[in-house]
Amino acid sequence: MAGNENAGTAEFRQKMSPFREIAILGPGLLGGSLALALTGSANTRLWARRADAVAEILEKKIASMASIDLKEVVHGADLIIFCTPVEVMREIAFQISSHILPGTIVTDVGSVKERVLRENGQLFANFVGSHPMAGSEQGGLDAARKDLFEGAVCILTPDQSTNTLALQKVTAFWDALGCEVQLLSPREHDEIVGAISHLPHLTASALVRAATSIPGRPQRFAGQGFRDSTRIASGPPPMWAGILLSNRQAVRTGIRRLISELETADSFLETADEEGLRKFLTEAKTIRDSVRSKQKENGGI
């Protein structure tokens, strides 16, 4: 699989050849990592809301150009990538929709897809929903790294209106960055990602609150197990509030399933059912171990 180690080589540049001018809207973890990964293969333009963020981008030479002027950044781009929170994409889309070339392909990295397709798909003839399953609890430009997408799954969410050629080009784009590309409908995406990403974040936050609600500041004694199981609760609260609200129906369905599982475990404890508890834990371990094996295959941890 081609990865970012090919950046600057003829092979990597060839895979990126459909896109010579790439506008990245939002210089956070994903936007910054994209700019770093594309260094040497395309001219990248970064848009940021704040002048100090633009100054940082230029100082670190992360992109070919950077500006707080949306129109300046998207002018002449053949690929535009929304790396902003889902809830502000529509506002930005309206601002740029009449200032891009007719053949410009537009995609995003948002973790909610039905809303994005509903609000933005109609504004762009060549819109393809994307969601690279990459990131960390750390956010912002300082956390960006050029190999972030290597070995990650990237879900594309075409619907009946998606342009086939645009889909092919966006597929090739993520493949060149080292992603394993998968296709899901927008609804399937939101249901699955709600279960494996959004629900775990909310659960980690709830676990932190529940575990530290007893007297004596128990967090003083927390070890690696607690840190591992609650790591993602350190993600940026404003970003995660927006994600959870944008996909609230899928998350609420997941909450009900989680409550059911906890009630099952509680019943085993209430009746001292060791066999039932062992089976409960064994089934979870088997599934979790299979996830870990897949991560190792893809170069993860």
Side-chain angles (χ1 to χ4, degrees):
M1 180 181 293
N4 292 342
E5 67 271 17
N6 292 327
T9 67
E11 180 183 359
F12 188 79
R13 287 195 300 269
Q14 179 61 34
K15 287 191 174 185
M16 287 296 173
S17 61
F19 305 119
R20 303 310 304 162
E21 300 286 341
I22 300 177
I24 300 170
L25 309 184
L29 171 63
L30 295 180
S33 295
L34 277 171
L36 289 171
L38 293 167
T39 300
S41 64
N43 290 325
T44 52
R45 304 120 166 259
L46 261 171
W47 171 78
R49 287 186 181 274
R50 306 187 324 274
D52 59 332
V54 169
E56 183 181 0
I57 293 164
L58 296 175
E59 179 184 356
K60 294 182 176 180
K61 299 181 180 179
I62 292 173
S64 306
M65 69 87 71
S67 175
I68 60 172
D69 186 333
L70 266 172
K71 297 174 186 176
E72 181 183 10
V73 171
V74 303
H75 178 72
D78 42 34
L79 174 65
I80 298 171
I81 308 172
F82 280 78
C83 298
T84 62
V86 168
E87 61 269 23
V88 302
M89 285 185 188
R90 185 163 178 78
E91 170 198 342
I92 296 170
F94 271 117
Q95 293 182 51
I96 69 171
S97 59
S98 61
H99 297 280
I100 64 175
L101 299 172
T104 298
I105 293 175
V106 182
T107 190
D108 74 303
V109 298
S111 69
V112 178
K113 280 288 156 293
E114 277 201 291
R115 176 176 177 176
V116 170
L117 267 292
R118 182 176 65 250
E119 294 183 348
N120 299 336
Q122 59 185 306
L123 293 175
F124 304 107
N126 298 308
F127 185 85
V128 180
S130 301
H131 180 201
M133 301 291 288
S136 76
E137 74 280 6
Q138 299 176 334
L141 189 57
D142 288 340
R145 64 177 203 267
K146 68 178 182 180
D147 64 346
L148 183 69
F149 304 101
E150 291 183 15
V153 171
C154 184
I155 304 172
L156 304 188
T157 56
D159 63 8
Q160 65 275 10
S161 65
T162 301
N163 179 280
T164 301
L165 182 58
L167 177 62
Q168 292 172 350
K169 289 183 177 181
V170 172
T171 299
F173 173 82
W174 290 112
D175 177 72
L177 289 173
C179 290
E180 175 191 335
V181 177
Q182 300 283 345
L183 302 184
L184 291 175
S185 72
R187 175 165 294 183
E188 287 175 319
H189 168 278
D190 288 359
E191 291 174 348
I192 290 173
V193 174
I196 65 170
S197 176
H198 304 164
L199 178 65
H201 187 93
L202 191 62
T203 302
S205 298
L207 179 57
V208 170
R209 291 169 59 88
T212 60
S213 64
I214 62 175
R217 294 185 66 248
Q219 59 265 40
R220 294 180 298 158
F221 309 102
Q224 191 63 45
F226 183 79
R227 291 194 293 270
D228 286 346
S229 60
T230 60
R231 175 184 58 81
I232 55 177
S234 292
M239 180 189 79
W240 275 101
I243 290 171
L244 293 168
L245 287 171
S246 294
N247 198 26
R248 61 185 180 275
Q249 294 305 326
V251 175
R252 292 188 69 215
T253 298
I255 288 172
R256 290 190 287 272
R257 289 197 300 267
L258 177 61
I259 290 172
S260 176
E261 292 292 339
L262 290 173
E263 287 175 341
T264 297
D266 185 50
S267 70
F268 294 146
L269 295 172
E270 182 182 21
T271 59
D273 183 351
E274 183 176 357
E275 181 179 351
L277 191 58
R278 281 177 179 267
K279 182 180 179 182
F280 182 93
L281 296 172
T282 299
E283 289 175 352
K285 181 183 186 305
T286 299
I287 296 171
R288 175 62 178 87
D289 288 350
S290 71
V291 173
R292 190 165 182 268
S293 297
K294 181 64 174 176
Q295 287 179 324
K296 285 184 174 181
E297 291 172 11
N298 287 338
I301 58 174

